[in-house]
Amino acid sequence: MRAFHSFSGICAALVLGVSLLAYQNAEAEDPPERPNIIFFLVDDLGWTDINGFEGPNGETYENVGGEFDSRYYYTPNIAKLANEGIRFTNAYAACPFCGPSRASILTGKYPTRIGFTNNNTHDQKQGMGPFKVEEMKFAEPVEPDLIRNLDPQKETSIARALKSNSSNGKDYLSCTIGKWHVYSEGATGFEPEAHGFDYNIGGSFRGAPAGGDRPGWDFYRGSDWSDVYFPNLESPEKRYPQNWPQGSTKADDFKELTYLSDALTYRALEFIDLASDQSRPFFLYMSHYGVHSPMKAKRWDSDGDRRITSKDKEVHADLFKARWGSDERHEIEPPSGSSSFHTSFTYASMVKSIDESLGQIMSHLESKSLAENTIIFFYSDNGGVERNGYTCNNPLRSEKTHAYEGGTRVPLIARGPGVHANRTSKLAVTGPDFFPTILELAHIEMAVVEEASTVGFSSEEIDGVSLVPLLQAAESDVHRENDPITANDDGAIFWHVPHYKHSAPYSAVIKDNYKYIRYWEDHDSLQSRREKEDGYFMSEKELYNLQDNLGETGEKDLTGAHSSVEAELESILLNWLKRVDAKMPTAVRRENKQGITQAWYSSWISKQATSNGYEDPVEEAIYKSSPGDKITIYTGNLTDSIALPNPPDGITIQSIHP
């Protein structure tokens, strides 16, 4: 009996030993292969600015470009990407203009949480907005102070987060190529390399190349502007002498490239070679300056002098002229000066140039046997620009900088390992979602980023959600929980623009196809603006059902008709603004029994008229009030508890923010 027990003990020990050995071997195995990641970002590309019907070899894809894609633009490589991946029909930018949108992509946070709510180059004129003072019926609210630099001492970028896990000794090699635009001219310590990027090619404080008759890369080459506007683009080997490859691609000699998008693409191919040669997983933030102004198409160098002039023939003009034909969305010939169709050869050529860049990168990945392990995200930083007459966002209302769908709804496509092909998703997604998505794709947990952080990174401040389950055809597993205390705002996405950018300051929320916009000017001021918004005046509050009214037409504004939905969305919006410590435009106004008076008391007026003897605009409003008047105070910070002054008899004083 004792011998049997001894034998059993030996067997148990052997089994345990084998189990431990198996466990140790499993622990010793390399972590899962980490994919290469390319974030292909286009500047100002509208939701309808791509074509999904025609492929590179004439093949057709069913509705790949979107329900309202363009038959005029020619983007076969984008169509191919969508056919091989997933297209998002309800993708949004976190801000309807460049800088804040890009900050949200890089950090996984809403611009409001960071305080980066306007472009770094914005010339902030407090309270002025687009109006001249003599044209104002009421003075406008004062814009909050502006954070002009995305600070690496406070924020963690994707590039830095990707370096949080070096278990196999091979970190992600990261490179940003093209537009950066999240710090101000003259500021130092905010460049891409300060945010963890190994290489910066062409990224500076600039949001666009200089305008005028300077479309080509040749204009900057060899000048003092070259490294100011586009650092390291001309000669990256001077900045990175140890390992930047030279002449490793099959593209034309870089010196012969005259178009900026082509020059950026050439460097992108070199970076892919660099990472491949080192057997390193890589993150490429391919951030084109196109299709942002200046509006310049590729041109033939017709006279051989290598000078680009307006007389040179546009490369793609004949192609796009021939593309006008009869289909269900466009007329055979557009009306002269039409603003309702895609008609510009120049803009179409710029779009095609972006498509060509994507095609070159896709082909290069295939030639290096990297395509099967590379995730590509194709995205735009905001909606298209209509005001210059080059494109049209129909059927969406309005354009870049505005709260409406034309400013915020953008194309988004993803392709790569694990992504089920030829699919569409209607889930509403937004800029902050890329940060957690890319980390999960790279097999890096938020807790690891927190542990490695030296700037107080907290996963609780990440506003995005990982889209990896959705990429792998498990959309029901994507859950957007904005506030763990309540489920009321689950699935909602937000915007906050407390500045004047061709629009009055506003905040907005979308939840369950309903969109609620709250402007921070009073009704009469909005109705008195010099320019109506696509034929409709803006109102203090607007509510749209996007499923029934994608164009947000004013006659279908549901404000008042769906009071319960309106109240719920306003509560969700205000709670979010408080939670992220949103900075608000400030003002004080006085109403009498007949409505808004001809006086709006703002701190801007107080600053401009210091001789009126009043300490602040609230005091002035009280002094000039009469029984029956109501004074409303707009506060600059929703989280502040405001001690309202005791009103005189018959006067009501309230704060607009509960």
Side-chain angles (χ1 to χ4, degrees):
M1 192 72 172
R2 179 175 297 178
F4 177 79
H5 280 303
S6 298
F7 179 75
S8 298
I10 293 171
C11 290
L14 287 172
V15 171
L16 179 61
V18 170
S19 299
L20 286 172
L21 181 61
Y23 177 78
Q24 290 170 352
N25 286 339
E27 285 288 290
E29 290 180 0
D30 289 337
E33 185 178 12
R34 291 179 290 177
N36 308 309
I37 301 164
I38 296 178
F39 196 87
F40 193 99
L41 182 60
V42 191
D43 198 354
D44 291 356
L45 186 74
W47 189 59
T48 65
D49 285 353
I50 61 176
N51 169 271
F53 286 95
E54 299 174 50
N57 301 311
E59 63 268 37
T60 58
Y61 307 134
E62 182 181 356
N63 206 32
V64 173
E67 184 178 357
F68 298 100
D69 64 350
S70 173
R71 292 298 299 271
Y72 183 60
Y73 300 133
Y74 185 62
T75 56
N77 294 296
I78 298 172
K80 181 176 186 293
L81 188 77
N83 189 57
E84 296 173 351
I86 180 172
R87 175 175 55 86
F88 295 79
T89 59
N90 290 299
Y92 290 93
C95 182
F97 46 89
C98 310
S101 175
R102 291 162 185 272
S104 76
I105 294 168
L106 291 166
T107 64
K109 301 179 182 181
Y110 280 117
T112 311
R113 185 184 293 277
I114 303 171
F116 199 106
T117 51
N118 210 331
N119 282 341
N120 55 345
T121 52
H122 175 56
D123 182 15
Q124 188 175 18
K125 297 180 179 178
Q126 295 283 350
M128 294 292 288
F131 288 159
K132 296 178 180 178
V133 176
E134 59 270 20
E135 293 177 347
M136 293 182 185
K137 183 175 181 181
F138 306 105
E140 299 176 350
V142 175
E143 300 181 14
D145 291 337
L146 174 66
I147 291 178
R148 296 179 180 271
N149 303 304
L150 187 65
D151 191 347
Q153 300 304 314
K154 297 179 180 179
E155 305 298 339
T156 299
S157 74
I158 293 176
R160 183 184 293 170
L162 286 173
K163 296 183 182 300
S164 301
N165 184 2
S166 55
S167 56
N168 63 358
K170 290 186 177 180
D171 284 335
Y172 270 84
L173 197 65
S174 59
C175 179
T176 173
I177 293 183
K179 181 169 175 175
W180 184 243
H181 198 220
V182 288
Y183 72 96
S184 302
E185 182 175 8
T188 58
F190 305 101
E191 299 83 357
E193 288 165 311
H195 284 275
F197 282 90
D198 296 299
Y199 302 98
N200 168 34
I201 307 295
S204 69
F205 65 92
R206 292 287 305 183
D213 193 25
R214 301 192 286 251
W217 165 235
D218 266 357
F219 176 84
Y220 303 94
R221 192 191 308 274
S223 71
D224 293 338
W225 287 5
S226 179
D227 265 0
V228 174
Y229 279 16
F230 310 114
N232 313 316
L233 176 56
E234 185 170 353
S235 304
E237 69 278 2
K238 292 181 179 179
R239 175 66 179 86
Y240 311 109
Q242 299 300 318
N243 54 14
W244 189 266
Q246 299 184 46
S248 59
T249 68
K250 295 181 180 180
D252 293 335
D253 185 353
F254 181 80
K255 294 180 180 179
E256 299 300 319
L257 299 177
T258 60
Y259 198 68
L260 182 57
S261 296
D262 293 339
L264 296 172
T265 304
Y266 185 96
R267 296 304 185 203
L269 303 185
E270 288 188 326
F271 170 71
I272 292 172
D273 287 342
L274 187 157
S276 177
D277 291 345
Q278 296 183 19
S279 299
R280 298 272 297 276
F282 65 81
F283 171 52
L284 171 59
Y285 181 67
M286 184 68 198
S287 177
H288 274 290
Y289 286 93
V291 293
H292 193 290
S293 60
M295 296 299 170
K296 300 293 182 180
K298 283 187 180 180
R299 300 181 185 275
W300 293 112
D301 182 21
S302 58
D303 57 9
D305 63 0
R306 297 188 62 196
R307 291 183 177 275
I308 299 170
T309 71
S310 58
K311 296 179 181 179
D312 291 329
K313 179 182 177 182
E314 293 185 356
V315 172
H316 301 129
D318 292 339
L319 168 66
F320 293 109
K321 187 174 182 180
R323 286 180 65 77
W324 271 104
S326 177
D327 62 49
E328 65 274 19
R329 280 177 294 278
H330 296 297
E331 298 180 2
I332 295 176
E333 289 294 337
S336 177
S338 169
S339 61
S340 301
F341 302 94
H342 299 144
T343 62
S344 168
F345 300 157
T346 297
Y347 188 81
S349 180
M350 294 178 71
V351 171
K352 188 173 189 300
S353 298
I354 294 297
D355 181 79
E356 290 170 343
S357 171
L358 177 66
Q360 290 182 53
I361 289 174
M362 292 166 65
S363 296
H364 199 64
L365 291 171
E366 292 173 3
S367 71
K368 305 289 288 188
S369 299
L370 296 172
E372 294 298 319
N373 193 41
T374 300
I375 295 278
I376 299 177
F377 292 97
F378 178 91
Y379 185 64
S380 176
D381 63 348
N382 49 251
V385 183
E386 293 185 332
R387 68 183 69 100
N388 57 21
Y390 278 89
T391 193
C392 172
N393 295 321
N394 280 352
L396 306 182
R397 178 177 174 180
S398 199
E399 59 175 335
K400 173 182 178 178
T401 73
H402 290 264
Y404 303 104
E405 295 292 285
T408 57
R409 186 180 285 250
V410 295
L412 170 60
I413 300 168
R415 187 202 77 173
V419 179
H420 290 233
N422 200 20
R423 292 174 48 237
T424 60
S425 171
K426 296 182 179 180
L427 186 73
V429 300
T430 184
D433 294 336
F434 295 113
F435 187 98
T437 300
I438 289 173
L439 287 189
E440 183 171 350
L441 289 170
H443 309 292
I444 297 176
E445 297 181 359
M446 288 287 184
V448 174
V449 182
E450 288 182 337
E451 184 177 352
S453 174
T454 59
V455 296
F457 174 85
S458 171
S459 59
E460 293 182 358
E461 293 186 350
I462 296 300
D463 295 306
V465 297
S466 173
L467 305 177
V468 170
L470 190 156
L471 299 179
Q472 300 172 350
E475 184 166 317
S476 60
D477 292 340
V478 178
H479 181 66
R480 189 181 304 279
E481 184 180 76
N482 291 297
D483 184 357
I485 298 177
T486 175
N488 198 37
D489 60 1
D490 287 358
I493 59 176
F494 303 92
W495 294 266
H496 178 58
V497 180
H499 308 280
Y500 286 92
K501 296 283 290 185
H502 302 278
S503 171
Y506 63 86
S507 305
V509 58
I510 287 179
K511 183 177 184 290
D512 298 333
N513 290 318
Y514 281 97
K515 182 174 181 179
Y516 176 72
I517 305 172
R518 180 67 161 91
Y519 285 101
W520 301 112
E521 275 193 32
D522 68 281
H523 179 78
D524 281 11
S525 286
L526 292 168
Q527 297 290 300
S528 300
R529 299 184 73 83
R530 287 181 292 178
E531 295 182 4
K532 293 188 294 185
E533 182 60 60
D534 284 355
Y536 304 103
F537 287 110
M538 290 176 283
S539 301
E540 276 189 86
K541 302 178 181 182
E542 299 180 13
L543 177 66
Y544 302 103
N545 183 340
L546 296 178
Q547 189 168 0
D548 300 332
N549 183 18
L550 185 64
E552 299 166 287
T553 55
E555 63 264 17
K556 293 185 179 180
D557 183 351
L558 302 176
T559 306
H562 289 59
S563 56
S564 60
V565 175
E566 182 182 336
E568 178 187 1
L569 291 180
E570 177 158 277
S571 174
I572 289 173
L573 179 60
L574 288 173
N575 286 336
W576 173 75
L577 290 169
K578 292 177 183 177
R579 195 164 61 248
V580 298
D581 193 21
K583 300 302 182 288
M584 306 295 295
T586 60
V588 179
R589 75 181 182 190
R590 179 167 58 87
E591 293 182 72
N592 59 24
K593 296 177 181 179
Q594 288 72 41
I596 306 297
T597 68
Q598 291 295 310
W600 176 301
Y601 300 91
S602 74
S603 53
W604 178 80
I605 289 178
S606 178
K607 291 177 182 177
Q608 299 300 313
T610 56
S611 61
N612 56 19
Y614 304 107
E615 291 185 4
D616 57 54
V618 179
E619 179 186 325
E620 183 178 2
I622 292 174
Y623 181 82
K624 292 186 175 181
S625 61
S626 303
D629 287 0
K630 179 169 63 177
I631 298 171
T632 304
I633 302 173
Y634 286 72
T635 61
N637 193 325
L638 294 179
T639 58
D640 289 344
S641 64
I642 302 169
L644 298 176
N646 294 321
D649 291 342
I651 307 299
T652 301
I653 299 180
Q654 66 177 7
S655 170
I656 194 64
H657 310 309

